[in-house]
Amino acid sequence: MVSLTLLSMPVLAFKYIDYVSRSRSSENISEEVSLNKQLAYRVDLFLSVHPYSKPLALLVATLLLIFLGGLALFGVKDDSLAECLWLSWTYVADSGNHTDSEKVGERLVSVSISFGGMLIFAMMLGLVSDAISEKFDSLRKGRSKVVEQNHTLILGWSDKLGSLLNQLAIANESLGGGIVVVMAERDKEEMELDIAKMEFNFKGTSVICRSGSPLILADLKKVSVSKARAIIILAEDGNADQSDARALRTVLSLTGVKEGLRGHIVVELSDLDNEVLVKLVGGDLVETVVAHDVIGRLMIQCARQPGLAQIWEDILGFENCEFYIKRWSQLDGMHFEDVLISYPDAIPCGIKVASLGGKIILNPDDSYVLQEGDEVLVIAEDDDTYAPAPLPTVKEASFIHIARTARKPQKILLCGWRRDIDDMLVVLDAFLAPGSELWMFNEVAEKEREQKLIDGGLDISRLVNITLVNREGNAVIRRHLESLPLQSFDSILILADESVEDSAIQADSRSLATLLLIRDIQAKRLPMVTHVQRGSFSQGSWIGEMQQASDKSVIISEILDPRTKNLLSMSKISDYVLSNELVSMALAMVAEDRQINDVLEELFAEEGNELQIRQADLYLREGEELSFYEVLLRARQRREVMIGYRLADAERAVINPPSKSKRQRWSVKDVFVVIAEKE
């Protein structure tokens, strides 16, 4: 009777409290929540707020079952309460222990306790299974923390990621591979699947994917952002202003990391106008690469100098030779003209001057003497493949008095409209000779163009070297293109039109259609030029490029998707293709060494030094036998740094040639690649 009374007391108490609450709710209409609902709410709140609530609830239920079962056994057995509690525990732990029960009451109680024990055991298995499933789900979805340091962190996902990972893998090959962590707002399994489909060798580099937002500090800590040696923020595909605004918020999040950042931040921007704001927020931590601006400037340089695209691909990519900066104390006190021939496996092209706060000077004077703390900027195959050696014996270079022909006015066609076309016009005006014509062919109404250019910050009256010729039309409609004198242009630039810029596939499809139409129209108007030398020289050969530049227009296509670029390269229907792959190369290079960004900015700018292609007759005579060092010293008399050459019958240029002291016979049809001041 005592056991039954104790067991029934909680039930009676609960019923009484519920009755009282209901009676009060009838008197007070505003309080309509019953005790059952309040109790259910409290239990739900407890289970959701406390992380260990489920195991704790299971423990309480087990102890309650043991206690109530012990009381019930105490009522039907003659044993002590302690013995009954122990017996109740054995029934809960092993449901087969009640088989020796003899009396009816004892059997009913023992069976009830055993059923409760089975329920407790089932609940325990469910909790363990859920915990294991949650852990595996967390690992699968990339919620676990990355325990790495000195890794490269990429925030975001875009079509440039494949090229970027490829360049980072090549850069880390000499170190036996590295660690690259990618965090984006995508499913981890999808990211890993897309990366697995990339057709290149990672060369020992491991790529770790995590799902998360770069705007959330907890997610940034999850990828060990404070221990990364470089952080790359990729621009989102789509609207440029929205992409740059998100990049700005990401930089703000990174500057808010309490532990601080070990590495620098490389931000890919879509609009040049937003660069100042990002640098203002990020300060000294930030290096910016404006993708649209880089492609635009490269297109202009390649339009002026056919063949320059391949040179840039070789220098920007880690597969061949690239820029490195290092200090060599044994060169202190040496003139730069002697430093030029001190590296058998590299070509010096600048000095990082310690006395000027680490400013990099490209193409310095021969008389500059290296001081303590100065570093040498070179072009080499890798950072561990070159070192200074004793000065070689080089025959004194005699100056050849051949004046370079003055720049001639050019006639250039721009197909399409870009949001930064005003910046391109400023660069073209700085690069082209006076009297040049720039034809603008797009779908923007002629009355609106001038206003758009003014809104972009361009004063047309300040253009001194170029004259604008406006033509309105659709670049994918043949009859519109046939109205243009396509055979008379020196260069044709096909831009990724602003109207379809948000979709890389649509923009590339439009550029490809324009390219095919222009080529077909040119072939019908200039049939002899179209087929001259096609059997003798490949599409990418140097002589073929020079013939195309002189005999007909050189076509330069802006391609957003690297896959389309590969397709065009294989089909050989375009002279030069500039794609986002070059932007990926620049991002990887700046991520590896942020100092290189200053070098690239000068080479891309309107003033200072740039890559140029020179005819061999500026330095030598037909059939003259000279070493590369001897030709290099002749170039120094013209204040140029010679970094490579391309023979008349060669497919590609040779940057940082081997055996620089070995003599060879040259032809005036050869060309040399130099770093020289802009004309």
Side-chain angles (χ1 to χ4, degrees):
M1 291 299 294
V2 172
S3 298
L4 290 176
T5 303
L6 291 174
L7 291 173
S8 60
M9 282 179 62
V11 179
L12 295 174
F14 178 78
K15 289 295 184 181
Y16 175 75
I17 295 174
D18 187 45
Y19 169 75
V20 173
S21 64
R22 287 178 182 276
S23 62
R24 289 182 178 178
S25 63
S26 61
E27 297 174 359
N28 189 1
I29 300 175
S30 62
E31 187 179 352
E32 299 179 352
V33 181
S34 64
L35 181 63
N36 289 334
K37 293 182 179 180
Q38 291 184 19
L39 185 61
Y41 169 72
R42 296 298 178 183
V43 172
D44 179 67
L45 184 64
F46 175 76
L47 293 176
S48 59
V49 171
H50 299 283
Y52 299 105
S53 57
K54 292 181 180 180
L56 184 61
L58 181 62
L59 177 61
V60 171
T62 304
L63 294 176
L64 185 61
L65 178 61
I66 294 172
F67 178 73
L68 295 177
L71 286 178
L73 287 174
F74 181 69
V76 297
K77 290 178 67 71
D78 297 333
D79 297 336
S80 64
L81 180 60
E83 187 67 24
C84 291
L85 290 174
W86 172 255
L87 194 59
S88 176
W89 156 247
T90 60
Y91 291 164
V92 171
D94 186 357
S95 58
N97 283 341
H98 67 277
T99 54
D100 57 349
S101 301
E102 297 178 354
K103 297 180 181 180
V104 176
E106 184 179 349
R107 288 182 177 180
L108 289 175
V109 173
S110 61
V111 169
S112 300
I113 298 174
S114 297
F115 272 118
M118 286 188 283
L119 180 62
I120 293 293
F121 185 71
M123 292 172 60
M124 183 180 66
L125 286 180
L127 288 178
V128 173
S129 177
D130 289 345
I132 295 175
S133 298
E134 288 178 3
K135 187 61 179 178
F136 275 102
D137 187 61
S138 175
L139 294 174
R140 181 177 60 84
K141 293 185 177 180
R143 296 172 182 166
S144 60
K145 184 177 181 180
V146 175
V147 187
E148 295 287 350
Q149 57 183 354
N150 292 327
H151 57 286
T152 301
L153 175 60
I154 301 176
L155 301 177
W157 189 280
S158 71
D159 56 2
K160 304 181 188 68
L161 182 65
S163 302
L164 180 58
L165 290 176
N166 186 25
Q167 293 300 318
L168 291 175
I170 297 172
N172 292 326
E173 183 180 8
S174 60
L175 303 175
I179 301 294
V180 179
V181 180
V182 180
M183 187 176 76
E185 296 182 61
R186 298 186 61 197
D187 185 75
K188 175 176 177 286
E189 290 182 320
E190 291 181 2
M191 291 190 286
E192 291 175 342
L193 185 61
D194 289 343
I195 292 175
K197 294 179 181 177
M198 297 177 181
E199 298 179 352
F200 60 84
N201 186 2
F202 284 94
K203 304 180 186 299
T205 294
S206 300
V207 180
I208 302 171
C209 297
R210 286 294 180 268
S211 297
S213 171
L215 305 179
I216 301 175
L217 287 177
D219 289 344
L220 290 175
K221 292 180 180 179
K222 183 173 61 178
V223 291
S224 299
V225 64
S226 60
K227 299 179 180 179
R229 65 185 181 92
I231 304 167
I232 304 174
I233 302 175
L234 292 179
E236 291 183 338
D237 298 329
N239 184 272
D241 291 331
Q242 293 179 2
S243 174
D244 288 352
R246 184 173 179 83
L248 178 62
R249 293 197 299 270
T250 303
V251 173
L252 280 171
S253 298
L254 292 171
T255 55
V257 177
K258 293 182 180 179
E259 296 82 1
L261 300 178
R262 177 185 299 179
H264 60 285
I265 306 171
V266 184
V267 185
E268 180 199 356
L269 295 175
S270 301
D271 198 324
L272 185 63
D273 296 334
N274 300 321
E275 184 180 24
V276 177
L277 186 58
V278 172
K279 287 187 175 181
L280 179 64
V281 172
D284 296 335
L285 287 173
V286 170
E287 297 290 341
T288 57
V289 175
V290 186
H292 224 53
D293 186 59
V294 169
I295 293 297
R297 291 175 182 272
L298 284 176
M299 291 183 73
I300 293 171
Q301 289 191 12
C302 296
R304 293 171 51 243
Q305 302 185 75
L308 201 58
Q310 179 253 315
I311 308 298
W312 270 115
E313 286 184 358
D314 288 348
I315 292 178
L316 286 178
F318 283 97
E319 293 181 82
N320 300 294
C321 293
E322 53 276 348
F323 291 108
Y324 293 101
I325 300 177
K326 191 181 294 187
R327 165 154 175 74
W328 301 93
S329 57
Q330 59 266 46
L331 299 181
D332 291 348
M334 187 178 292
H335 289 83
F336 183 72
E337 61 179 348
D338 294 328
V339 175
L340 277 171
I341 57 176
S342 297
Y343 294 89
D345 301 307
I347 295 182
C349 49
I351 301 295
K352 182 181 177 182
V353 183
S355 60
L356 297 179
K359 181 181 179 181
I360 298 176
I361 299 179
L362 279 174
N363 188 17
D365 292 331
D366 285 344
S367 58
Y368 179 82
V369 179
L370 266 70
Q371 307 295 324
E372 184 179 356
D374 287 353
E375 300 178 36
V376 182
L377 171 70
V378 303
I379 294 179
E381 185 177 356
D382 209 338
D383 57 354
D384 57 354
T385 60
Y386 72 98
L391 290 177
T393 301
V394 181
K395 185 179 178 181
E396 184 178 354
S398 58
F399 183 77
I400 301 178
H401 296 279
I402 300 178
R404 190 163 186 256
T405 57
R407 291 186 301 165
K408 296 180 180 179
Q410 289 182 279
K411 192 174 181 180
I412 296 178
L413 172 65
L414 287 181
C415 287
W417 184 276
R418 287 168 39 132
R419 61 177 178 275
D420 63 342
I421 199 167
D422 51 307
D423 297 323
M424 293 188 67
L425 295 183
V426 172
V427 176
L428 280 166
D429 186 63
F431 280 146
L432 296 179
S436 299
E437 285 188 4
L438 180 64
W439 288 52
M440 300 176 63
F441 180 71
N442 50 69
E443 295 182 75
V444 179
E446 294 185 26
K447 296 180 180 179
E448 299 178 12
R449 294 182 190 177
E450 184 174 354
Q451 186 60 43
K452 282 194 170 188
L453 293 175
I454 293 174
D455 293 341
L458 175 65
D459 186 357
I460 300 178
S461 62
R462 293 187 177 182
L463 299 177
V464 295
N465 292 332
I466 60 175
T467 302
L468 297 182
V469 180
N470 289 300
R471 291 291 185 271
E472 185 177 345
N474 192 331
V476 296
I477 298 179
R478 186 183 184 92
R479 67 176 183 275
H480 291 180
L481 288 171
E482 287 179 337
S483 65
L484 301 173
L486 296 177
Q487 71 280 2
S488 64
F489 292 108
D490 297 294
S491 301
I492 298 176
L493 277 66
I494 302 176
L495 309 177
D497 199 88
E498 185 181 35
S499 60
V500 291
E501 187 185 40
D502 291 349
S503 173
I505 296 178
Q506 292 184 21
D508 289 353
S509 300
R510 185 181 180 90
S511 299
L512 182 59
T514 303
L515 171 63
L516 292 172
L517 288 172
I518 292 176
R519 275 292 186 224
D520 187 55
I521 295 172
Q522 285 182 333
K524 288 180 170 54
R525 293 181 181 178
L526 301 170
M528 296 301 294
V529 176
T530 302
H531 301 289
V532 166
Q533 300 286 354
R534 285 290 178 175
S536 302
F537 303 101
S538 66
Q539 181 71 21
S541 71
W542 187 261
I543 295 180
E545 291 173 351
M546 299 302 287
Q547 287 175 342
Q548 290 167 2
S550 59
D551 297 340
K552 63 179 181 181
S553 301
V554 174
I555 300 181
I556 301 172
S557 308
E558 178 185 7
I559 298 298
L560 302 181
D561 193 335
R563 293 171 295 184
T564 310
K565 182 252 186 183
N566 296 333
L567 178 65
L568 288 174
S569 299
M570 290 187 294
S571 60
K572 300 181 180 180
I573 59 175
S574 179
D575 301 305
Y576 312 105
V577 181
L578 295 176
S579 72
N580 284 330
E581 190 173 10
L582 290 174
V583 179
S584 301
M585 293 177 179
L587 287 171
M589 184 167 288
V590 178
E592 290 297 311
D593 189 351
R594 64 180 304 180
Q595 304 173 102
I596 303 301
N597 200 25
D598 295 334
V599 179
L600 298 181
E601 286 180 353
E602 179 174 346
L603 293 176
F604 291 152
E606 299 95 314
E607 299 178 353
N609 291 273
E610 68 171 346
L611 287 179
Q612 296 184 12
I613 296 173
R614 297 281 199 244
Q615 294 293 329
D617 57 8
L618 293 175
Y619 314 102
L620 48 84
R621 298 178 179 86
E622 178 67 34
E624 192 171 2
E625 190 172 323
L626 299 168
S627 69
F628 181 79
Y629 273 148
E630 291 172 339
V631 183
L632 183 146
L633 292 181
R634 289 186 179 182
R636 285 307 297 168
Q637 298 180 26
R638 305 176 64 91
R639 187 63 190 282
E640 299 170 349
V641 176
M642 186 172 292
I643 65 172
Y645 61 85
R646 192 166 189 175
L647 301 178
D649 56 351
E651 285 287 330
R652 299 182 66 86
V654 179
I655 304 299
N656 181 29
S659 306
K660 298 178 178 63
S661 298
K662 183 180 179 181
R663 291 195 161 210
Q664 66 182 82
R665 196 173 300 278
W666 302 92
S667 168
V668 293
K669 295 181 180 180
D670 300 333
V671 291
F672 291 93
V673 183
V674 301
I675 295 177
E677 290 188 4
K678 296 177 177 66
E679 300 173 346

